[in-house]
Amino acid sequence: MFKIEFAGTGGALPLKNRNLSSAVLSYDGRKLLLDCGEGTQKSLLHLHTGFVNIDIICLSHLHGDHIFGLPGLLCTMGMAKRTNDLLILAPKGSRNLLSQFICLVGRQSYGIYVLEMDGSFTPSDLYSRGPLALVRTSDGYKISLALSDPKVINAAGFYCLLSKKTDELCKSVDLPPAAAQDPANTNLEALFPECNLFYQQQTPAALQKQSRLQKQLSRYENLSLTPEPDFPVDLYINAAAQKHSVPCLGFRFDFYQSGKFSSNKAMALGIFQGFWSFLQQGYHLSYRYKGQDYEFSSHEVLGPSRHKFSLAYVTDTRPLACNSEFLRAVEVLISESNYALEDKLPLAVKNRHMTMKEACLQAANAQVKALILTHFSASLIEPETYLDYARSFFKNSYIARDLDTFIPADAAQATWQQISAQKEADYEC
């Protein structure tokens, strides 16, 4: 089940019961953190979210109300005995500031890697499902280098911010001269041999060794297993540039489930049962048996991949026409609503934020199914009082508060149950 939890819903200034921007998306035991404003890790403690199973931190931009909670959270992850490396997604040009943050973090038991995304989204990216492809493993989401766009996953924009237990503290890893000259064709796995963020598909030899019918495989000659080039993955991430005073990204997450394996099709094709697991793993199979050559694709026995869920996160921006495609038909849009009424529109234009009406109309234009409003100005003390106002522009709107949890209530109606835990007496920034 997908779950959305808000660690902070404020913009610019914290209030007594409102921390700064941060939200958590959870699915099947793994988590993605959206921004990390001041007070994030204390809210995560109240939410009982945990720190070790956060796979990715997405930073929309580098203003303080979105990143000042990061150094403390990174330290806490280390004290929680994290060993799996952490991926941070950030706008272009984030390296210098994030490197300075590492000076506060010190040596850790896990590596920190940053992927800078330029946000050059085009509608065709959605048809290819996204430039960043990740596979879910028992250790969390791993980058599929084979299926990710090399224009996005290259040595110029992907770097190590902190090596595991490095003796050279406070220094990010620089590219070797050859990689700097040709980043797109650099082997990232060779460049970062200690990084465990890359998806490693099981080798054919390992699959054969694991097969319970291993002994019977020897009768098949010239057995060859090659990875399918377009085998679907579990999560695609798109990023689109937004309009703010500094480089700013909106993020879109599309979750998929692999197609169902059809044993009936496999038997009808005469595929030996010992090969079924190979096809389920996304391998193309060929062999020779009794003087005849055979070849099978995993697509012949797997149904189409199924889209499970989509979420978009857009904050600190003016409404953009291009967002109508970027946000198209997502199940949930988390959007800033820095100002409530239209009398604040001149201020919203000046500071490059949105009013509540603008956020709702942007959601309506993109035909999203549900809208959760957050990132409220400190002058907006009780944003929940404007819920009916928001719903007059977009019916399926919700107002987030710190420590609120959203879970699906009715998938057919795209409605969400809002669970409030804000009454904890000791909750203060």
Side-chain angles (χ1 to χ4, degrees):
M1 181 179 70
F2 290 93
K3 180 169 64 173
I4 305 166
E5 298 167 287
F6 285 87
T9 58
L13 296 173
L15 300 179
K16 182 178 179 181
N17 62 345
R18 187 194 296 168
N19 286 323
L20 298 178
S21 291
S22 185
V24 182
L25 172 62
S26 303
Y27 172 58
D28 200 17
R30 310 308 307 182
K31 303 182 188 302
L32 283 71
L33 182 66
L34 311 176
D35 280 331
C36 190
E38 184 181 347
T40 292
Q41 63 174 320
K42 185 173 181 181
S43 290
L44 295 181
L45 289 171
H46 284 286
L47 290 166
H48 307 290
T49 296
F51 303 100
V52 176
N53 54 354
I54 295 175
D55 296 321
I56 305 171
I57 297 178
C58 302
L59 301 178
S60 61
H61 62 295
L62 300 189
H63 276 163
D65 56 334
H66 293 257
I67 62 169
F68 278 169
L70 187 60
L73 178 62
L74 297 178
C75 290
T76 300
M77 285 179 170
M79 288 186 279
K81 309 300 182 184
R82 182 188 181 102
T83 57
N84 198 45
D85 292 341
L86 176 69
L87 176 63
I88 296 177
L89 304 182
K92 284 286 186 183
S94 300
R95 181 167 182 159
N96 288 339
L97 181 57
L98 293 179
S99 296
Q100 294 177 42
F101 271 28
I102 295 303
C103 296
L104 305 174
V105 175
R107 186 168 64 181
Q108 297 296 332
S109 58
Y110 64 99
I112 301 173
Y113 293 81
V114 177
L115 173 61
E116 293 185 356
M117 305 182 77
D118 61 10
S120 55
F121 167 82
T122 61
S124 62
D125 290 331
L126 286 182
Y127 299 117
S128 61
R129 295 183 175 171
L132 180 57
L134 300 107
V135 178
R136 192 189 185 285
T137 71
S138 59
D139 294 326
Y141 287 99
K142 307 291 184 183
I143 300 172
S144 171
L145 293 176
L147 292 177
S148 295
D149 189 339
K151 296 192 297 294
V152 173
I153 308 293
N154 62 70
F158 184 93
Y159 52 86
C160 177
L161 201 62
L162 184 68
S163 297
K164 298 176 185 177
K165 299 181 179 178
T166 179
D167 292 328
E168 297 184 39
L169 299 180
C170 316
K171 182 180 179 182
S172 56
V173 175
D174 292 318
L175 293 178
Q181 293 172 7
D182 190 13
N185 294 316
T186 301
N187 186 335
L188 290 180
E189 292 172 293
L191 185 60
F192 304 106
E194 293 185 351
C195 180
N196 60 26
L197 293 176
F198 303 128
Y199 173 63
Q200 302 286 346
Q201 193 167 25
Q202 283 189 292
T203 63
L207 284 173
Q208 292 181 47
K209 188 176 181 180
Q210 293 170 11
S211 174
R212 62 183 178 86
L213 302 173
Q214 179 187 3
K215 293 181 180 179
Q216 300 181 47
L217 297 181
S218 58
R219 59 187 177 183
Y220 297 90
E221 303 172 9
N222 302 329
L223 178 59
S224 174
L225 297 170
T226 55
E228 296 277 14
D230 56 348
F231 192 72
V233 298
D234 302 292
L235 170 61
Y236 293 89
I237 301 180
N238 276 282
Q242 302 299 302
K243 186 177 181 179
H244 197 44
S245 56
V246 296
C248 183
L249 295 175
F251 292 99
R252 175 176 175 142
F253 310 91
D254 286 276
F255 292 82
Y256 286 82
Q257 184 176 13
S258 60
K260 187 176 180 180
F261 180 81
S262 173
S263 57
N264 291 333
K265 287 184 179 180
M267 288 187 288
L269 291 168
I271 304 174
F272 174 54
Q273 192 172 352
F275 294 136
W276 289 8
S277 61
F278 303 164
L279 296 170
Q280 287 176 303
Q281 293 281 342
Y283 279 95
H284 187 93
L285 169 69
S286 64
Y287 57 85
R288 186 175 183 82
Y289 183 61
K290 293 183 177 181
Q292 186 172 350
D293 293 322
Y294 294 88
E295 188 173 353
F296 299 101
S297 167
S298 62
H299 298 297
E300 295 180 82
V301 291
L302 289 177
S305 61
R306 294 161 285 176
H307 187 270
K308 287 196 58 88
F309 180 71
S310 57
L311 178 139
Y313 176 68
V314 173
T315 185
D316 289 52
T317 181
R318 295 291 299 145
L320 300 175
C322 58
N323 278 344
S324 62
E325 289 301 324
F326 176 63
L327 306 175
R328 178 67 58 191
V330 294
E331 267 83 0
V332 177
L333 167 60
I334 300 175
S335 173
E336 73 132 296
S337 176
N338 203 68
Y339 303 104
L341 301 178
E342 290 303 285
D343 61 350
K344 299 289 186 180
L345 181 58
L347 198 57
V349 173
K350 176 184 176 182
N351 295 329
R352 297 188 177 180
H353 282 288
M354 283 188 283
T355 64
M356 193 170 286
K357 177 181 178 180
E358 288 178 319
C360 292
L361 292 179
Q362 179 168 255
N365 290 336
Q367 300 175 14
V368 309
K369 296 179 181 177
L371 170 66
I372 304 178
L373 298 170
T374 183
H375 194 283
F376 304 112
S377 165
S379 63
L380 189 53
I381 305 299
E382 296 180 338
E384 59 271 17
T385 60
Y386 293 91
L387 179 59
D388 289 339
Y389 175 73
R391 288 180 172 174
S392 68
F393 301 106
F394 187 81
K395 183 178 180 180
N396 202 12
S397 296
Y398 302 84
I399 304 290
R401 295 173 292 180
D402 280 35
L403 304 184
D404 276 359
T405 297
F406 290 81
I407 58 175
D410 187 328
Q413 299 295 324
T415 56
W416 288 70
Q417 181 181 359
Q418 184 173 4
I419 304 169
S420 177
Q422 198 177 16
K423 302 302 182 182
E424 296 193 37
D426 60 343
Y427 178 63
E428 293 182 6
C429 299

